[in-house]
Amino acid sequence: MQYLILKKPMRLSSSDYINYVNGLVQQYDIPIYYMTIGPCNGHWEQKNSEVLAFNSALTQMLDPKVTVIDAYGYIKNGLDSGLFATMDGLHYDYYTSKAIYEFMVEQVTNP
């Protein structure tokens, strides 16, 4: 089975990104997964409202054929419980990054 894993291209608005991903659904006959953008903490925490708005727009408007993986909720729970950490409020530490990767693989291989 083939997979197409997308990372949000920088500087695209939510509507541009929705059009981009939905266009890929029409181009490719393979499963497409969208993993929500994760939260920030520390002095970057004020960005979370923008992250949530972006994630919400995509979750609501992506083609139903796109499987959405809720990384934001997974990571937020880990940060709130102290299980996960960032190095600077924006970039996750090694353990957290590894856990996110394993979560993503689990969601793709065991939907």
Side-chain angles (χ1 to χ4, degrees):
M1 181 179 290
Q2 295 180 344
Y3 293 98
L4 177 63
I5 299 175
L6 303 173
K7 181 179 179 189
K8 176 188 176 291
M10 298 304 289
R11 302 180 205 273
L12 284 185
S13 68
S14 58
S15 60
D16 289 339
Y17 196 63
I18 290 163
N19 291 334
Y20 172 69
V21 174
N22 287 344
L24 292 172
V25 169
Q26 304 307 314
Q27 278 184 291
Y28 299 98
D29 187 27
I30 59 175
I32 297 179
Y33 295 85
Y34 169 71
M35 187 170 80
T36 58
I37 299 170
C40 306
N41 67 4
H43 70 276
W44 290 97
E45 197 161 4
Q46 75 276 3
K47 289 290 194 182
N48 286 340
S49 60
E50 293 175 42
V51 170
L52 285 168
F54 187 91
N55 287 342
S56 177
L58 265 73
T59 300
Q60 293 174 25
M61 300 302 294
L62 284 176
D63 188 292
K65 294 178 185 173
V66 176
T67 301
V68 175
I69 300 171
D70 181 21
Y72 186 97
Y74 175 73
I75 298 165
K76 180 82 170 124
N77 288 339
L79 289 172
D80 289 347
S81 70
L83 184 62
F84 294 161
T86 65
M87 296 181 293
D88 57 5
L90 189 59
H91 300 95
Y92 303 117
D93 67 7
Y94 171 79
Y95 172 79
T96 303
S97 296
K98 185 173 185 261
I100 295 167
Y101 170 78
E102 290 169 353
F103 172 74
M104 179 187 68
V105 169
E106 179 182 325
Q107 297 298 303
V108 169
T109 57
N110 300 309

